[in-house]
Amino acid sequence: MRVSFPFSAIVGQDEMKLALLLAAVDARIGGVMVFGDRGTGKSTAVRALAALLPPVSAALAGFHAEGSAPPAPKATVPVPFVDLPLGATEDRVVGALDLERALGAGVKAFEPGLLARANGGFLYIDEVNLLEDHIVDLLLDVAASGENVVEREGLSVRHPARFVLVGSGNPEEGELRPQLLDRFGLSVEVRTPQDLASRVEILKRCDAFERTPVDFAEVWRAAEKKTLKQIARGRAGLAKVAMSDAMLARASGLCMAVGADGLRGELTLMRAARALAALEGKLEVTPDHIARVAPLALRHRLRRGVLDETGSTVRIERALDELAAA
């Protein structure tokens, strides 16, 4: 059995881990975009979270062809994790006609794509900024609707495609169009650790995992159980978390203060603040919850000011300070 690197054992990258946990609690948040250097644990974190989560119902994951035998009522499968290759074609992503069956048996059958395999789990795209725009657009449409529709070569197929979309990219290699970037729920910035102690600890943990992965996973079992319990608590308590009119006004006021276009930022900020409160076992959203998720929900939705050279995160923190002082 393949052992994944424990989610709890990832050194630092707290913002990325928080964003992934929020998306695991409430998939409506709309996925996570991770910007940063190569080799900073982006795909490792997503794969580790997928491996940590409890198995899901076989009936609700993957693809089940029409007319095929349904899975056993209590059958479960590991949470799907699909790594989308950069050169993937549209047919490979959405699915297409099964040519082998069409030519051999004269039967029109659907060959599921990567979206079908990711149903019920995570779809990870490395270097999403280098992917063709129309495929990114397609992925975001399906992620938002939770359904994939394929109509080609005389086929008409509609199947569930509910997954957490996680994209990563290095801004130095090309930027994602603002129209597409805005549709990711949360945005995270990761950097190579600059302190010696953190870098040495990363080396030690990676080396220990490579030498004896089973023993290393056992060392972190208690921490993993704690994280899993936190996610389960968040999912169970999400519907009970209240967000007062004052907190809604605070969220909207912040979006207005930083100049976020549209209402998608406010909706994401509201959902992320609720998810954070649920993760912590709270029944009501507080200003602290809003402040902690605001950079994740808003930094990628801000226009670059001609006269303001400060980064998006600094502008959000400045607006939060002004709101708190008002």
Side-chain angles (χ1 to χ4, degrees), residues 251-281:
S252 291
L254 175 61
C255 292
M256 292 171 65
V258 298
D261 291 332
L263 294 175
R264 192 174 280 127
E266 280 161 78
L267 289 169
T268 303
L269 183 56
M270 176 185 71
R271 291 166 182 159
R274 277 184 176 152
L276 179 57
L279 268 175
E280 297 182 343

Side-chain angles (χ1 to χ4, degrees), residues 233-290:
R233 180 179 63 190
R235 288 176 171 178
L238 183 64
K240 303 172 188 175
V241 176
M243 191 162 180
S244 66
D245 287 352
M247 291 301 99
L248 290 172
R250 190 179 188 87
S252 291
L254 175 61
C255 292
M256 292 171 65
V258 298
D261 291 332
L263 294 175
R264 192 174 280 127
E266 280 161 78
L267 289 169
T268 303
L269 183 56
M270 176 185 71
R271 291 166 182 159
R274 277 184 176 152
L276 179 57
L279 268 175
E280 297 182 343
K282 308 296 183 183
L283 294 177
E284 191 167 357
V285 171
T286 66
D288 178 63
H289 293 133
I290 293 174

Side-chain angles (χ1 to χ4, degrees), residues 5-6 9 204-205 208-209 212-221:
F5 193 89
K204 289 169 64 177
R205 292 186 189 183
F209 177 72
T212 54
V214 175
D215 292 344
F216 184 79
E218 185 62 34
V219 170
W220 288 90
R221 185 179 297 278

Side-chain angles (χ1 to χ4, degrees), residues 142-224:
V142 174
S145 66
E147 189 175 62
N148 182 37
V149 180
V150 183
E151 293 184 346
R152 58 185 64 187
E153 289 97 14
L155 278 177
S156 181
V157 178
R158 184 184 298 265
H159 68 80
R162 300 180 182 89
F163 50 81
V164 176
L165 180 64
V166 182
S168 72
N170 187 337
E172 296 177 0
E173 297 177 352
E175 295 186 354
L176 202 62
R177 285 192 291 124
Q179 303 94 307
L180 297 180
L181 186 56
D182 174 62
R183 294 175 59 189
F184 277 92
L186 304 176
S187 170
V188 174
E189 295 177 353
V190 295
R191 293 288 178 265
T192 304
Q194 295 303 309
D195 61 295
L196 182 62
S198 294
R199 296 172 80 119
V200 170
E201 185 61 27
I202 291 171
L203 291 176
K204 289 169 64 177
R205 292 186 189 183
C206 287
D207 182 55
F209 177 72
E210 288 172 0
R211 288 172 180 271
T212 54
V214 175
D215 292 344
F216 184 79
E218 185 62 34
V219 170
W220 288 90
R221 185 179 297 278
E224 291 286 83

